[in-house]
Amino acid sequence: METSEFYEGSKLLLPYSQSTGISIDKVNFLVCQFVALMIGFPYRVILSPLRVSPTTRHLAQVLTGVLLACFCFGWQVRHLFAQTTICLAIMRFVKPGLMEKVVFIFAMGYLSMTHIYRMIYDYGGYTLDVTGPLMISTQRLTSLAYNVADGHADPSALSNNMRRLAVRRPPSLLEFFSYNFCFHNIMCGPFCFYKDYISFIEGTNHLPQTSSQSNVNSSEDYQRLLPNPPDPTSNVNSSEDYQRLLPNPPDPTSALLSKFFCALVCGVMYFVAVPLYPVTAIAEPEFAGHSFWYKMFLLIVATTLHRQVYYFAWTLSELVNINAGLGFNGYDSHGRPLWNLIDNMDIYLVETASSLKVLLDNWNKMTTKWLRYIVYERCHSTYAVFVLSAIWHGFYVGYYITFLFGGCFIFIARTVRRKIRPRFQGSANKARFYDLLTFLATRVAIAYLIFPFIILEFWKTVEVYIQLYFWFHIAGVLVALGLLAVPKPQTERPKEQ
């Protein structure tokens, strides 16, 4: 089925799509991101919190975000409105304690329904439809519900992160829809916690202690953080009155240039190099005719290039958000501004990681933070995190194969690190040799484990694994069994006095 047959976004740019060979869904996505990028500068400067009220900034977010969503996704935007509106009603009429659970079940259920529907009309396809924004919307809605619930809970029963993100005052109608439809975040995220977003809208994220670092919940709470707090006897009574007291925001030019060049390189790789070595070629009959070593080489190259798709989309989204002013995260030890609040990946650490844990910690980081906040900090189960992550992505069997075996190999890698790594720390050369081995193992592991996530289908995955003799699975089992016979390294005994 051609994309144009079921894609509900605008067809205005269809002639350009046909002339360039880029599908209309991707053309619309790029145009919307470019428009959001252009609007971001006047929003940050002209509609700065130093110039206008939070209400004006919220209205601009909602109106622009809805227009961009309608252009890119057409009538499918109704799913965003349905999910957010019903979750808002649940937050308003169900008491905290039960409310967040109902929101979680409904939001995840609605997302799951759209995933299944998409599998019916576009099985195995990668068309950019509304399921992408719905995935980010689900993160916003569920996290906000738990933010509000934590705001009503006993602080002593919460983790430090829960207390930091707790919201004592539920959002107004305008704040709620602004958070869920902000124009620079609606297309591709990255996910942002509610308190960080409100801090950005009110301009208080530029204060010495920002909302991502303190336990504050409204504009009034920030008064004590102002660099020049007003005289208590003066005629200052509203958040708008404090505009003149807010500090000037730092210049994001350096961060913008860095993100721009990174997005440019990843974009060129995506449109030029990725078609030369598509991951889908692994599932083609021609793949079986190659030698084992070439198959592994092709697997590593194809999956590495495929990551450029995500690098490009996420870096472009980070660029758009920073240009609008969202992303400031305080200052480093040298007084330089940090614009990494919603960075979604660290490309260097992903590509040079010497363990699966380091790689996963730096891949889709905002989703990892959402999973940690929603699941791990509440039930402390790594496998529950993997299950939710798989359901959030959808219902293709390939997702579950990747997450199932990924969890197993992470457990094995942790055991190796605990039992084997200390034996290589006696000298610098041994340590470097260990790091080299784990780096190479991680490159192979990520290629071997991640391709089912991309080709999606069960039998195609099994066919590829058969052609590779399930060698990495077998190696994992042998390593796990061998580790059972390896004693834990003895810790150094304290010296006798």
Side-chain angles (χ1 to χ4, degrees), residues 9 17 36 77 161 164 188 217 221 244 255 265 274 283 344 366 369 392 396-397 409 474:
S17 168
V77 78
N161 191 45
R164 178 179 68 82
C188 191
N217 296 277
D221 292 330
R244 58 186 174 82
V265 171
V274 172
N344 219 23
M366 297 312 298
K369 291 182 179 180
W392 179 75
Y396 286 106
V397 177
F409 277 95
I474 296 172

Side-chain angles (χ1 to χ4, degrees), residues 32 136 146 184 211 293 322 334 361 363 398 408 420 436 486 491:
C32 286
I136 307 298
Y146 277 96
H184 46 86
S211 65
W293 296 108
I322 291 174
H334 300 287
D361 285 346
W363 173 266
C408 294
I420 305 300
L436 176 62
V486 177
T491 57

